[in-house]
Amino acid sequence: MRETIFSKRYITILEQFVSTQLALEDRPRIEWFMQDGARPNNTEKVLRFLGEYFGNRVIELDYPKFTGTGMDWPPYDLTPCDYFLWDTLKDTVYGNHPSTLDELESAICVACNSISIETLKDVMSNFILRLRHLIFSNGEHFENIVS
């Protein structure tokens, strides 16, 4: 059954994710959690939940304003999902003109599975290059990064 995601449902999803991670991991918790600022993700209850589990290791639009810790959503040119993934998926998924929710879901799965390991390695190499440019520019805007 497909449901509209609202704050309470989103917290349930996060709880399942966190409990799975805790069951699978036998190492210190050093990961960061990154989410966008979609309305269900950006409620006081969700931000409190994220703070309890991830503390200051949250990257989200306005999270630092709410908690005083964490990191704001990075600029477009620093987020692999923004500069690579979303456009790639959109082009592939909507190129097939899905007309039902089932077709859309299937097209998204096919598109995600079609991204090669080599492509992901290239994206991450480019991400490292972008970080180096950011350091070199002393945090200022930079252009002309190879995609």
Side-chain angles (χ1 to χ4, degrees), residues 36-47:
D36 65 9
R39 187 171 293 146
N41 303 359
N42 205 11
T43 66
E44 183 176 338
K45 288 181 181 181
V46 169
L47 297 178

Side-chain angles (χ1 to χ4, degrees), residues 115-128:
I115 300 171
S116 72
I117 297 295
E118 202 56 43
T119 297
L120 294 175
K121 287 179 182 178
D122 290 345
V123 169
M124 293 317 298
S125 293
N126 186 268
F127 178 61
I128 292 167

Side-chain angles (χ1 to χ4, degrees), residues 5-146:
I5 298 294
F6 54 95
S7 178
K8 186 176 178 182
R9 175 75 178 123
Y10 187 62
I11 289 175
T12 301
I13 293 168
L14 288 173
E15 288 170 341
Q16 292 169 347
F17 170 76
V18 166
S19 65
T20 301
Q21 295 304 306
L22 290 173
L24 295 176
E25 296 179 5
D26 61 351
R27 58 186 167 85
R29 289 185 3 216
I30 58 171
E31 71 279 348
W32 283 68
F33 187 83
M34 183 175 189
Q35 70 176 14
D36 65 9
R39 187 171 293 146
N41 303 359
N42 205 11
T43 66
E44 183 176 338
K45 288 181 181 181
V46 169
L47 297 178
R48 287 195 193 289
F49 176 86
L50 293 174
E52 287 175 25
Y53 181 72
F54 293 100
N56 66 344
R57 298 179 321 274
V58 175
I59 302 170
E60 198 236 285
L61 186 66
D62 294 333
Y63 185 77
K65 290 179 189 172
F66 179 79
T67 64
T69 66
M71 189 182 286
D72 225 341
W73 190 265
Y76 178 83
D77 53 2
L78 280 181
T79 309
C81 288
D82 286 335
Y83 70 78
F84 164 72
L85 185 62
W86 304 141
D87 286 340
T88 300
L89 291 180
K90 183 178 73 173
D91 292 345
T92 304
V93 168
Y94 289 107
N96 295 324
H97 307 289
S99 59
T100 67
L101 198 50
D102 286 336
E103 288 176 4
L104 177 62
E105 184 177 322
S106 177
I108 291 169
C109 290
V110 167
C112 288
N113 289 328
S114 72
I115 300 171
S116 72
I117 297 295
E118 202 56 43
T119 297
L120 294 175
K121 287 179 182 178
D122 290 345
V123 169
M124 293 317 298
S125 293
N126 186 268
F127 178 61
I128 292 167
L129 177 64
R130 288 165 186 263
L131 291 175
R132 288 184 178 142
H133 279 279
L134 180 67
I135 291 168
F136 182 74
S137 70
N138 200 26
E140 297 296 321
H141 180 73
F142 55 89
E143 295 180 13
N144 303 324
I145 303 296
V146 177

